[in-house]
Amino acid sequence: MNRVYTNPLRRLILQPLGACRSGWRGRLSTPHVYIRPRLAHSRFFSVNAVLRYSSPTPTAPQKDPQKDDTQAKAAPTVRENIYTLPNLLTLSRIVACPVLGWSIVHDNFYFATGLLVYAGLTDLVDGYLARRFNMHSVLGTILDPAADKTLMTTLTITLAMKDLIPVPLAAIILGRDVLLSLAAFYIRYTSLPPPKTFTRYWDFSIPSAEVHPTGISKVNTALQLLLMGTATISPILPLDISLPLQALQWIVAGTTIWSGASYVFAKDGFRVISSAATKGRSGPPPSSS
């Protein structure tokens, strides 16, 4: 039975701690902690020391940075189906470009005209299939303008080599396309979800940004294709079209410069896709096809 202390100081210190009446040691309520009764009368003994031994202050749990990094890396990566028929048709246009350039350099303009017709038809068909059967993809918004630029670059270089278009016009067209290509590489890197690795950068099943051509850019692409197609078939036409072809060249030079400037000032030229936004979408992204 615990002793009842009449002294207020001794009652405050020893009675709550369950000190024993006899013996040199009094056992505290906390296991394996002992204190001499005489120590309670010492001026060096404090209540704070007893409380520190009897009820230690809990410490806040420490966060493990490596565990947080592991959980961040373990987040699922958003992917989409890129193996669609519109994308395959677009890739076929890109593959046909070297053959088209070879035929122009070797003066086989009939075969080159046939390839131009194929490129135009596949461009119309892949856009129709993407809209009709809901086969849109972020990769399609990149491949479609890339196929147009590959075709345009091939025609520009080879027709300039055959003196069918002026070299200054070819420099304007190629310079604009080079600048836009460098901007596309930069946008792809900055919009790619982490971790940014070489393999993930070239994995186009991981969407990062959608490309939306401006209105003047679409008009410029149509005029460029008209110019290149007219220059390609001009050697096999029975009449001279040099005068209207020269007027078309001046128009294309103006629209090329205008469309390049529109990408600099346009706010909707591209849109960065976040993982949360991609998960929350009910359908595939819009395509420029």
Side-chain angles (χ1 to χ4, degrees), residues 10-208:
R10 297 179 66 183
R11 187 188 317 108
L12 175 65
I13 298 176
L14 296 182
Q15 185 169 343
L17 299 179
C20 298
R21 183 174 60 177
S22 61
W24 282 95
R25 298 180 184 275
R27 179 169 299 189
L28 301 178
S29 58
T30 302
H32 309 294
V33 179
Y34 298 91
I35 182 171
R36 292 188 179 184
R38 291 183 179 182
L39 191 59
H41 303 281
S42 175
R43 63 178 179 177
F44 300 104
F45 182 74
S46 63
V47 177
N48 292 333
V50 176
L51 295 178
R52 183 168 63 249
Y53 279 101
S54 60
S55 58
T57 304
T59 58
Q62 300 292 332
K63 294 184 178 180
D64 190 359
Q66 295 181 353
K67 184 178 180 180
D68 295 340
D69 295 342
T70 305
Q71 293 178 353
K73 293 180 180 178
T77 302
V78 178
R79 294 182 180 272
E80 65 176 3
N81 181 25
I82 62 176
Y83 303 103
T84 60
L85 185 56
N87 289 345
L88 294 178
L89 291 176
T90 305
L91 284 175
S92 68
R93 295 208 312 271
I94 297 176
V95 173
C97 288
V99 183
L100 174 62
W102 176 88
S103 62
I104 294 176
V105 171
H106 290 82
D107 297 328
N108 193 350
F109 293 100
Y110 289 96
F111 186 63
T113 303
L115 288 178
L116 280 179
V117 173
Y118 170 78
L121 291 177
T122 54
D123 192 15
L124 294 175
V125 171
D126 66 6
Y128 170 77
L129 292 177
R131 292 187 298 269
R132 177 66 178 80
F133 299 101
N134 200 18
M135 296 182 179
H136 298 286
S137 65
V138 175
L139 179 61
T141 66
I142 300 174
L143 282 182
D144 190 69
D148 294 337
K149 296 310 172 187
T150 304
L151 178 64
M152 192 60 55
T153 302
T154 302
L155 290 172
T156 302
I157 295 175
T158 54
L159 292 175
M161 292 173 58
K162 303 299 291 186
D163 293 329
L164 295 175
I165 63 172
V167 175
L169 177 59
I172 293 175
I173 295 175
L174 294 178
R176 170 189 174 276
D177 291 343
V178 168
L179 292 178
L180 291 181
S181 299
L182 293 177
F185 284 122
Y186 174 76
I187 292 172
R188 169 65 176 173
Y189 177 78
T190 55
S191 61
L192 183 68
K196 301 180 186 294
T197 61
F198 183 82
T199 304
R200 287 171 54 84
Y201 182 88
W202 295 105
D203 186 0
F204 292 105
S205 65
I206 304 176
S208 59

Side-chain angles (χ1 to χ4, degrees), residues 214-265:
T214 59
I216 183 59
S217 177
K218 295 180 180 180
V219 174
N220 176 68
T221 301
L223 291 175
Q224 285 183 353
L225 290 175
L226 178 62
L227 172 63
M228 298 306 168
T230 306
T232 302
I233 65 175
S234 61
I236 61 178
L237 291 179
L239 66 154
D240 184 17
I241 59 170
S242 59
L243 186 59
L245 190 60
Q246 185 177 3
L248 185 57
Q249 291 170 359
W250 280 101
I251 295 174
V252 169
T255 56
T256 301
I257 297 175
W258 186 4
S259 64
S262 69
Y263 276 103
V264 177
F265 301 102

